[in-house]
């Protein structure tokens, strides 16, 4: 079984319909030196590329979503988050430039999958905007953080910097908690929305991993083996459940 088949099979084994795993069922990665990704691994460029496209698409998404914001304060908060995403994109662009790569050519292969994800999860209400901002972006960040420990130190530092919490999303928690406390109907709808975000994220992750052999090999190296990959996605699902609980969506 090649790397793409193995990783995609692992992704498919984690879905929004099965019960969330417990933390005991998904032990943390050990950081064994044998799982270290070499500095010249071709998957590193692809990793920086998919991150860069994720950041620039998040910038445009936040700008667009801000049009649904009901107050000036909400629009300002969304603008601050969009500015942070653009800053992160510029960090990744510089990292790719240092490796002699052009950001446009490196990010292009990932545009279809990420655009498809956003097209399939277009929010129809301000509350859906907020939940997607908090939950969906967290899913992506969890995945990259999970493999960062095995990356070369300079790459790991870049990945962690662009995924660092900015604190801007805290207003999301306050607004969503207030809404779900006031309306059980809204709570039920947003719980379904959160499950949909998880399912669509997994679907598009399958597509990306199946199409980019060098990226799947990097994930395999970072995870150690098939069981490590399954544990990785289990931990992502645990954190997704924790974020939903933070929003009162349980």
């Amino acid at each position: 079984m090649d790397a793409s088949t193995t990783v995609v099979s692992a992704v498919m084994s984690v879905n929004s319909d099965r019960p969330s795993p417990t933390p005991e069922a998904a032990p943390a990665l050990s950081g064994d030196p044998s799982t270290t990704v070499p500095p010249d691994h071709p998957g590193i460029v692809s990793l920086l590329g998919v991150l860069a496209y994720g950041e620039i698409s998040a910038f445009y998404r936040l700008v667009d979503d801000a049009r649904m914001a009901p107050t000036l304060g909400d629009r300002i908060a969304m603008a601050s988050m969009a500015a942070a995403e653009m800053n992160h994109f510029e960090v990744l662009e510089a990292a790719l430039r240092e490796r002699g790569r052009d950001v446009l050519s490196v990010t292009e292969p990932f545009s279809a999958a990420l655009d498809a994800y956003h097209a399939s999860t277009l929010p129809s209400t301000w509350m859906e905007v907020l939940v997607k901002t908090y939950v969906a972006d967290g899913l992506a960040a969890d995945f990259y953080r999970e493999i960062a420990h095995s990356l070369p130190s300079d790459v790991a530092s870049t990945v962690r910097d662009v995924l660092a919490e900015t604190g801007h999303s805290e207003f999301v928690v306050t607004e969503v908690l207030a809404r779900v406390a006031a309306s059980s109907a809204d709570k039920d709808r947003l719980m379904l929305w959160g499950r949909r975000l998880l399912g669509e994220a997994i679907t598009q992750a399958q597509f990306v991993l199946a199409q980019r052999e060098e990226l799947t090999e990097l994930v395999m190296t970072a995870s150690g083996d098939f069981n490590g990959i399954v544990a990785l996605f289990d931990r992502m699902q645990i954190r997704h459940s924790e974020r939903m609980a933070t929003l009162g969506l349980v």
Side-chain angles (χ1 to χ4, degrees):
M1 181 180 291
D2 63 23
S4 292
T5 303
T6 300
V7 175
V8 172
S9 295
V11 177
M12 291 178 69
S13 73
V14 180
N15 57 69
S16 57
D17 294 325
R18 81 179 197 179
S20 297
T22 63
E24 291 75 19
L29 295 178
S30 65
D32 188 327
S34 65
T35 66
T36 300
V37 175
D40 60 348
H41 193 292
I44 290 175
V45 169
S46 290
L47 176 65
L48 296 174
V50 70
L51 272 168
Y53 194 82
E55 296 294 337
I56 194 64
S57 63
F59 167 79
Y60 285 112
R61 172 174 55 84
L62 289 166
V63 170
D64 192 52
D65 288 346
R67 293 183 300 176
M68 281 192 272
T71 70
L72 176 60
D74 289 329
R75 290 195 293 274
I76 291 172
M78 295 292 278
S80 295
M81 294 173 68
E85 301 289 9
M86 178 56 75
N87 289 337
H88 294 161
F89 172 80
E90 291 171 349
V91 169
L92 291 160
E93 182 180 27
L96 284 165
R97 192 183 307 118
E98 289 175 2
R99 289 176 172 267
R101 303 301 296 270
D102 171 66
V103 69
L104 295 180
S105 62
V106 172
T107 56
E108 194 279 332
F110 303 105
S111 61
L114 294 180
D115 288 351
Y117 170 73
H118 289 303
S120 66
T121 56
L122 286 176
S124 60
T125 68
W126 176 239
M127 284 297 113
E128 287 184 358
V129 166
L130 296 183
V131 172
K132 181 177 178 180
T133 298
Y134 187 76
V135 171
D137 291 353
L139 278 168
D142 287 343
F143 175 79
Y144 298 123
R145 289 194 189 100
E146 281 284 346
I147 64 176
H149 77 282
S150 292
L151 299 173
S153 59
D154 61 325
V155 181
S157 178
T158 297
V159 170
R160 292 188 178 108
D161 284 349
V162 301
L163 297 176
E165 293 289 341
T166 63
H168 295 135
S169 64
E170 290 191 11
F171 86 101
V172 172
V173 176
T174 300
E175 292 201 23
V176 175
L177 281 174
R179 176 62 64 88
V180 301
S183 171
S184 59
D186 283 346
K187 177 178 179 178
D188 290 342
R189 281 194 292 269
L190 292 174
M191 288 176 66
L192 290 173
W193 176 240
R195 287 197 286 272
R196 179 179 171 187
L197 292 171
L198 174 62
E200 292 290 345
I202 290 173
T203 296
Q204 295 309 322
Q206 286 179 233
F207 180 80
V208 170
L209 293 172
Q211 296 297 314
R212 307 299 300 184
E213 179 71 21
E214 73 280 3
L215 191 55
T216 62
E217 289 179 353
L218 183 149
V219 174
M220 178 68 79
T221 300
S223 302
D225 56 21
F226 180 83
N227 289 331
I229 296 168
V230 172
L232 181 157
F233 283 101
D234 277 348
R235 285 191 295 277
M236 287 177 59
Q237 191 171 352
I238 289 168
R239 293 189 186 107
H240 172 76
S241 297
E242 291 170 349
R243 286 191 181 91
M244 292 288 284
T246 297
L247 296 175
L249 299 176
V250 291

